[in-house]
Amino acid sequence: MLAVAVGLRPAGWVAGAAYAVILSAVLTFGLFRSHRRSLGPADRVTLARAVLVGGVTALVATTFAGRPAPTALIVALAAVALVLDGVDGHVARRTGTSSPLGARFDMEVDAFLILVLSVFVARSLGPWVLAIGAMRYVFVAAAWLAPWLRAPLPPSFARKTVAALQGIILAVAASGLAPLPVAAVLVGVALASLSWSFGRDTVWLFRTRVPARSRSRYIAGETPPRRIARCDDWRAMIT
């Protein structure tokens, strides 16, 4: 549909196809690990969002191949994906089909949309905007070196607000409706708030971490010296 409506360069086709293949493979693997054979109602809403994000990805890749950016279409697709972000959670609660897989799927779609939007906005505001999209992936990479970063986080309204703010501000900056200085200030505020959120959570995880020796005792059946608060909000890992 995008190819017929606005046209796609080879870079857009490659990016869109790679996104679709990786999405299908990861989601299939997630279903297999969760011992599920199909997606739930909320997961289907998230899948629709994921398709929209794939369209944004293909269009952004096409703009880097020298084709004029269809800004209105990019922003429109991103805006619908952002709006549906609140729908899948509502559907999951109404149907009683909330699951770790669905929450993780939703989180990954959000994170990738923010990454793609930051790449698009970086063309006009500079490469520093990429820090917004890359921050979550840097955090995940750091967790491989420091396992205590993988501990669950307590629910936080501030964290949810900051996460939602990133997509909204990046969509506004991408639309070109705000003058560049204003857009730069808005994106700077988004980056600062995201840095604060990651920093706060990192400090909390460090202070409540369980030393390796204590973890081994816990596995052996002994009582751990400190209890880590668990989090039922799987979206917390966004930031």
Side-chain angles (χ1 to χ4, degrees):
M1 291 175 63
L2 291 176
V4 172
V6 297
L8 291 177
R9 291 292 179 87
W13 279 104
V14 171
Y19 172 88
V21 170
I22 295 173
L23 171 65
S24 300
V26 171
L27 189 54
T28 301
F29 180 71
L31 286 170
F32 175 78
R33 289 196 61 182
S34 302
H35 306 288
R36 294 173 53 184
R37 304 186 67 177
S38 63
L39 297 174
D43 300 331
R44 294 189 181 96
V45 176
T46 307
L47 182 59
R49 294 181 54 233
V51 172
L52 295 175
V53 174
V56 175
T57 302
L59 290 173
V60 170
T62 294
T63 64
F64 280 89
R67 195 178 192 89
T71 303
L73 185 55
I74 291 175
V75 174
L77 293 178
V80 175
L82 291 171
V83 171
L84 289 177
D85 187 22
V87 175
D88 49 12
H90 178 72
V91 171
R93 290 188 295 271
R94 288 291 300 271
T95 59
T97 55
S98 299
S99 67
L101 173 62
R104 183 63 183 271
F105 184 25
D106 185 36
M107 175 186 66
E108 296 298 343
V109 172
D110 289 337
F112 195 76
L113 175 58
I114 290 174
L115 174 62
V116 175
L117 286 177
S118 67
V119 170
F120 183 70
V121 175
R123 297 186 62 193
S124 56
L125 296 184
W128 62 273
V129 181
L130 297 175
I132 294 178
M135 198 171 298
R136 190 253 169 185
Y137 295 98
V138 171
F139 184 87
V140 171
W144 286 98
L145 301 176
W148 51 269
L149 288 172
R150 304 177 198 171
L153 289 163
S156 170
F157 178 76
R159 186 187 303 115
K160 293 180 180 181
T161 302
V162 169
L165 189 67
Q166 308 306 308
I168 295 173
I169 289 181
L170 286 173
V172 171
S175 69
L177 296 177
L180 282 182
V182 175
V185 171
L186 291 175
V187 175
V189 170
L191 177 57
S193 63
L194 188 62
S195 301
W196 167 81
S197 182
F198 270 107
R200 186 190 63 162
D201 287 343
T202 301
V203 170
W204 187 90
L205 290 170
F206 179 78
R207 289 178 175 175
T208 58
R209 74 193 188 283
V210 177
R213 181 178 299 178
S214 298
R215 285 199 301 270
S216 63
R217 290 178 179 176
Y218 178 69
I219 293 173
E222 298 182 20
T223 303
R226 181 182 299 171
R227 182 179 178 182
I228 297 180
R230 296 197 61 82
C231 174
D232 294 328
D233 180 15
W234 288 84
R235 293 167 60 80
M237 290 307 294
I238 295 177
T239 57

